[in-house]
Amino acid sequence: MENRAEAEPREGRYVLIVDDSNMVRHTVSSLLKGMGFRVVEAADGTQVKRLVETYRPVLVILDLSMPEKGGVAVLTELRADRRSRELPVIVLTGAADQRTVRQVARLKANGYLLKENLTVGKMRERIRAVLGAEAVSAPIPAAPASASEVTRAAGEPSRPTAASEGAGDRMVNRTELLERVDQDLELLQHLVDLFLRDSPALVEGMRQAIAAADPEALQRAGHTLKGMLGNLGVRALAETAGRLEAAGQQQRFTEAAAMLAELEQALPSLEHELRQIT
C-alpha cells in the first residue's frame, strides 16, 4: 500500500494516520492540517515502523482493524521498540466491548475513539487531551452552515435492516453528517464523492470474490465498504457489509450472495440521497 506525506521536508510536527479507509484518512487529515500539523498517511500497518523512523511523528492515529497487519500488531511493535515506546497513539475502533477496551489499555494506547460515533469535534478534543492544548495550533474554524443547511433532510434515522431502508425510509441523516464533519460542507462533499467513486468497485469485487469463492477478497471488500458506510452514518447497510466481511472469514459464500443482493437493492436509493444532500 502506498503512503502519502503532505510535504517533502521531514522537519516539523507530523502525525501519522494509519487506516485502510480512504474516507477516514481524508477526514482526519483535513482536521490535522487545520490544527497546524503535517500529515503522513498509510493504508495498512506494514509500513508504520519505517514511517515512524523517517518522519518521527508526534502522534499516531491507528485503526485497530485492518486486513493487512492490524492495529494490535502495529501497537505491539511500537511499544516493543524503545524509540517508539512513549509515542502517543490514539486508536480508532469499531468495537466498544470490554475486551477491546482492555486490549487497548494493555497495549498502552493513549485513548481510543469509536468509529461509529466519530466526529471531527471528538477527534480534535482527543488530540488536545493527548498532546496538550499548548502543543496544538489554533484550529481553522469550518465555515458555519446556515440554518437551512443543517435542517434534517427528512424522516427518521436508519432502520435496523437494509431492506427496510431501501423500501422508502431515508438512509442519510444530513444533520448527523454535518455534525460528523464539524459543519464543513466542502469536506462532506468530498466524502460523498469518495463513496460514489469507490463503492461500485467494492461491490463488483465482492461479486467476483463470491463467484470465485475467494474468502480474503470478500473479507477485504466487505471491511472497506463497512467502514465507508459507517463513516456516512448508514448503520444498517454498514451492518450488512460487516456480515459480508464475516461471511468471507467463515467462507459462507451462499449466504454472502444473498447478503450482497440485499445490499445492491438498497445502494441505488442511498446514492440518490447522497447526491441530494451536498
Side-chain angles (χ1 to χ4, degrees), residues 1-5 16-26 40-48 50-51 61-71 74 115 220 223-224:
M1 298 278 186
E2 292 185 357
N3 62 277
R4 178 167 58 85
L16 172 59
I17 307 169
V18 190
D19 198 298
D20 61 314
S21 168
N22 192 21
M23 292 174 69
V24 170
R25 294 198 310 274
H26 183 84
V40 186
E41 299 178 12
D44 61 64
T46 59
Q47 299 181 68
V48 169
R50 179 179 62 81
L51 293 174
I61 296 175
L62 177 66
D63 185 13
L64 204 61
S65 175
M66 293 178 286
E68 291 187 60
K69 195 172 184 179
V74 170
K115 282 190 171 185
R220 244 187 340 264
H223 177 83
T224 301

Side-chain angles (χ1 to χ4, degrees), residues 11-260:
E11 297 178 358
R13 300 180 312 152
Y14 281 94
V15 175
L16 172 59
I17 307 169
V18 190
D19 198 298
D20 61 314
S21 168
N22 192 21
M23 292 174 69
V24 170
R25 294 198 310 274
H26 183 84
T27 301
V28 178
S29 176
S30 296
L31 166 66
L32 289 165
K33 289 174 184 177
M35 295 176 79
F37 294 102
R38 293 182 175 182
V39 175
V40 186
E41 299 178 12
D44 61 64
T46 59
Q47 299 181 68
V48 169
K49 185 176 181 181
R50 179 179 62 81
L51 293 174
V52 166
E53 291 173 353
T54 301
Y55 290 94
R56 299 183 297 280
V58 297
L59 174 68
V60 176
I61 296 175
L62 177 66
D63 185 13
L64 204 61
S65 175
M66 293 178 286
E68 291 187 60
K69 195 172 184 179
V72 172
V74 170
L75 194 48
T76 301
E77 187 175 77
L78 289 174
R79 294 308 185 230
D81 189 330
R82 61 178 179 79
R83 294 169 297 179
S84 57
R85 193 168 293 154
E86 302 301 321
L87 174 62
V89 177
I90 296 173
V91 165
L92 300 179
T93 176
D97 57 90
Q98 288 302 310
R99 178 178 175 273
T100 301
V101 173
R102 287 194 297 270
Q103 189 176 44
V104 169
R106 178 176 57 81
L107 293 169
K108 299 182 180 178
N110 300 82
Y112 71 98
L113 289 165
L114 292 175
K115 282 190 171 185
E116 182 179 352
N117 301 316
L118 185 63
T119 66
V120 167
K122 288 179 181 178
M123 176 64 76
R124 183 187 292 115
E125 289 173 10
R126 176 57 63 184
I127 292 170
R128 286 180 178 274
V130 170
L131 295 182
E134 69 280 358
V136 179
S137 300
I140 299 171
S146 67
S148 61
E149 286 173 334
V150 298
T151 300
R152 179 175 296 183
E156 298 294 324
S158 300
R159 291 292 193 264
T161 66
S164 66
E165 282 192 299
D169 293 321
R170 296 188 69 87
M171 290 176 267
V172 180
N173 185 323
R174 192 169 190 267
T175 300
E176 180 182 318
L177 278 181
L178 283 165
E179 288 173 355
R180 283 174 178 260
V181 298
D182 211 23
Q183 312 301 327
D184 188 334
L185 290 169
E186 184 178 349
L187 175 56
L188 176 57
Q189 178 68 65
H190 191 79
L191 297 181
V192 168
D193 289 344
L194 285 175
F195 178 82
L196 294 174
R197 184 195 72 187
D198 294 348
S199 59
L202 292 169
V203 170
E204 178 59 28
M206 286 189 284
R207 189 183 298 115
Q208 292 179 7
I210 291 169
D214 184 339
E216 291 184 0
L218 179 56
Q219 180 184 348
R220 244 187 340 264
H223 177 83
T224 301
L225 187 59
K226 176 185 71 175
M228 295 177 75
L229 289 163
N231 292 333
L232 294 172
V234 189
R235 296 180 184 87
L237 291 187
E239 289 172 7
T240 302
R243 294 200 305 272
L244 279 159
E245 178 187 9
Q249 292 171 331
Q250 299 160 14
Q251 302 190 31
R252 295 183 285 111
F253 297 108
T254 301
E255 293 177 46
M259 294 175 203
L260 183 59

